[in-house]
Amino acid sequence: MEKWQCLACPYIYDPVIGDPENGISPGTGFEGLPDDWVCPVCGVPKSQFAKIIE
């Protein structure tokens, strides 16, 4: 699964971990995040994330 980096802060969304503190279960891909999900660190919308190329 692909990781996504917030463009406004160092947060990386890892689908293996999810975002359990905000109701996102482990295994949820970035595309599966709700449209109103925001970065849990700085609050920017998911449109402000870029796919990490590994």
Side-chain angles (χ1 to χ4, degrees):
M1 296 183 118
E2 300 164 328
K3 295 179 182 177
W4 291 73
Q5 169 93 46
C6 179
L7 298 175
C9 78
Y11 177 77
I12 295 175
Y13 177 75
D14 183 346
V16 172
I17 298 168
D19 183 12
E21 292 180 7
N22 292 298
I24 307 300
S25 301
T28 302
F30 190 79
E31 295 80 10
L33 294 172
D35 290 336
D36 61 351
W37 182 83
V38 296
C39 176
V41 174
C42 70
V44 299
K46 66 187 253 192
S47 63
Q48 297 297 307
F49 278 72
K51 187 185 325 180
I52 295 176
I53 308 297
E54 293 183 7

